[in-house]
């Protein structure tokens, strides 16, 4: 209770309870002061909601914003350094359910560390994810403000490209084995909102494997992939072996910057804007 204790006015510290992206309720006794991020996108989200100063450890490839690079690294997605994580005495661990090894995260939970799962699969889920992470880290207002900005930006993009003529798009995640995205993955979601048609949207999983013949039958008008700097790296050039493919015949290739499109953070809107513009250029080419 609030009141006087030994001559000092005491205000109780309220526990924080927030539902994570796995549907689990995560309860903390107080605002976390020592946070560890187990994924690059989670690191970026923490900084976006104003919790960067509370982050004491990050996973490999947590390179944005620049301040994240100075944090202690605690291993990568393939293997976490459990001893180093323990030595940092975190009071919150933000994990990536589909990226981190379940055995690693389970070990952290057995050690008594509270784990919050960050798993964003649709673009329109990003604002709420920012809002909840802001609440859990003691930055309610900053999280809510960033959530509003992202929601407004996403709504503007959707309105701009709604009811445009459809363009068949093949997004290549990897060439060997040949992998793409389904409609359940946020890139697949973005393709649809840009007026693109993903012929593999209904496949199970997030990044299904497909065959070359499947792509040829789909006759994509645009071939898309991502590279570290968004510049052509030749990864789509193998498709030149099939000159009758509409995208090849019209030389409709689109290279996007990987960290803008592969991480579900506010920068995702930058990547989606480039994707929508690329689809629009293909649409205009097809009209001529």
């Amino acid at each position: 209770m609030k009141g006087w204790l030994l001559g000092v006015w005491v205000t109780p510290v309220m526990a924080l309870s927030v539902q994570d992206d796995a549907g689990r309720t995560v309860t903390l006794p107080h605002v976390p002061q020592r946070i560890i991020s187990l994924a690059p996108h989670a690191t970026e989200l923490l900084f976006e909601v104003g919790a960067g100063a509370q982050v004491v450890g990050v996973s490999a490839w947590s390179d944005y914003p620049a301040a994240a690079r100075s944090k202690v690294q605690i291993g990568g997605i393939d293997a976490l350094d459990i001893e180093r994580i323990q030595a940092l005495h975190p009071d919150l661990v933000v994990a990536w359910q589909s990226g981190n090894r379940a055995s690693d995260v389970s070990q952290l939970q057995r050690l008594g560390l509270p784990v919050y799962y960050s798993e964003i699969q649709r673009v329109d889920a990003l604002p709420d994810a920012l809002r909840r992470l802001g609440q859990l880290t003691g930055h309610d207002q900053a999280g809510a403000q960033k959530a509003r900005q992202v929601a407004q930006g996403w709504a503007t993009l959707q309105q701009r490209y709604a009811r445009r003529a459809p363009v068949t798009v093949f997004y290549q995640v990897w060439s060997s084995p040949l992998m793409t995205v389904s409609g359940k993955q946020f890139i697949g979601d973005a393709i649809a909102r840009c007026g693109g048609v993903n012929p593999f949207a209904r496949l199970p999983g997030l990044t299904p494997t497909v065959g070359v013949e499947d792509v040829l039958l789909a006759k994509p008008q645009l071939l898309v992939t991502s590279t570290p700097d968004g510049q052509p790296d030749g990864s789509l050039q193998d498709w030149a072996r099939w000159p009758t493919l509409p995208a090849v015949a019209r030389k409709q290739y689109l290279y996007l910057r990987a960290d803008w499109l592969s991480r579900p953070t506010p920068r995702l809107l930058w990547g989606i804007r480039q994707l929508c513009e690329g689809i629009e250029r293909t649409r205009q080419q097809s009209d001529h």
Side-chain angles (χ1 to χ4, degrees):
M1 293 177 62
K2 183 186 294 185
W4 290 95
L5 179 63
L6 299 178
V8 178
W9 183 260
V10 177
T11 300
V13 177
M14 300 297 292
L16 299 168
S17 286
V18 177
Q19 190 174 76
D20 69 6
D21 292 325
R24 301 159 55 252
T25 298
V26 178
T27 301
L28 303 178
H30 53 74
V31 173
Q33 299 302 312
R34 300 183 63 81
I35 304 173
I36 284 181
S37 166
L38 304 186
H41 85 271
T43 302
E44 190 170 332
L45 291 176
L46 286 164
F47 274 85
E48 287 285 355
V49 300
Q54 295 152 256
V55 175
V56 295
V58 299
S59 65
W61 303 105
S62 291
D63 54 6
Y64 188 91
R69 300 171 192 166
S70 64
K71 304 292 183 178
V72 176
Q73 289 214 354
I74 47 76
I77 290 174
D78 293 336
L80 299 174
D81 189 332
I82 303 297
E83 290 185 2
R84 180 170 288 185
I85 291 174
Q86 279 187 281
L88 290 171
H89 303 291
D91 46 12
L92 175 64
V93 175
V94 181
W96 181 20
Q97 190 171 20
S98 64
N100 297 127
R101 292 195 308 191
S103 58
D104 285 342
V105 179
S106 294
Q107 187 174 352
L108 294 176
Q109 290 174 311
R110 286 196 298 272
L111 291 170
L113 301 179
V115 173
Y116 177 95
Y117 281 116
S118 175
E119 186 76 24
I120 304 165
Q121 296 180 359
R122 296 185 64 81
V123 185
D124 52 15
L126 180 55
D128 188 51
L130 286 161
R131 189 177 296 107
R132 285 182 284 115
L133 202 54
Q135 292 169 350
L136 188 65
T137 58
H139 299 278
D140 301 55
Q141 291 186 354
Q145 181 180 11
K146 184 61 66 171
R148 285 192 296 271
Q149 291 173 354
V150 171
Q152 290 168 1
W154 180 224
T156 298
L157 274 173
Q158 292 182 85
Q159 291 167 5
R160 184 176 302 162
Y161 294 100
R163 294 182 294 279
R164 299 288 180 98
V167 173
T168 305
V169 178
F170 175 66
Y171 187 92
Q172 180 174 292
V173 173
W174 199 251
S175 58
S176 183
L178 187 59
M179 297 172 65
T180 188
V181 294
S182 72
K184 300 182 183 70
Q185 208 266 3
F186 54 82
I187 297 175
D189 181 27
I191 289 171
R193 305 302 180 99
C194 290
V197 176
N198 175 7
F200 305 108
R202 295 183 180 275
L203 291 182
L206 300 177
T207 54
T209 300
V210 296
V212 171
E213 297 81 4
D214 299 320
V215 179
L216 296 178
L217 286 171
K219 299 180 179 178
Q221 298 164 271
L222 176 64
L223 297 171
V224 186
T225 194
S226 61
T227 62
D229 58 1
Q231 297 300 312
D233 64 352
S235 56
L236 294 177
Q237 292 309 309
D238 282 349
W239 294 106
R241 291 182 290 171
W242 290 277
T244 58
L245 205 61
V248 174
R250 291 180 174 268
K251 294 183 171 56
Q252 294 299 308
Y253 305 101
L254 181 60
Y255 294 87
L256 302 171
R257 184 165 164 166
D259 60 347
W260 288 6
L261 203 62
S262 62
R263 299 179 186 179
T265 72
R267 290 194 298 161
L268 180 61
L269 293 185
W270 302 354
I272 294 176
R273 186 174 294 109
Q274 287 190 326
L275 174 63
C276 287
E277 290 170 353
I279 291 175
E280 179 62 23
R281 287 193 296 270
T282 300
R283 183 179 290 116
Q284 293 174 357
Q285 285 281 338
S286 301
D287 290 341
H288 291 85

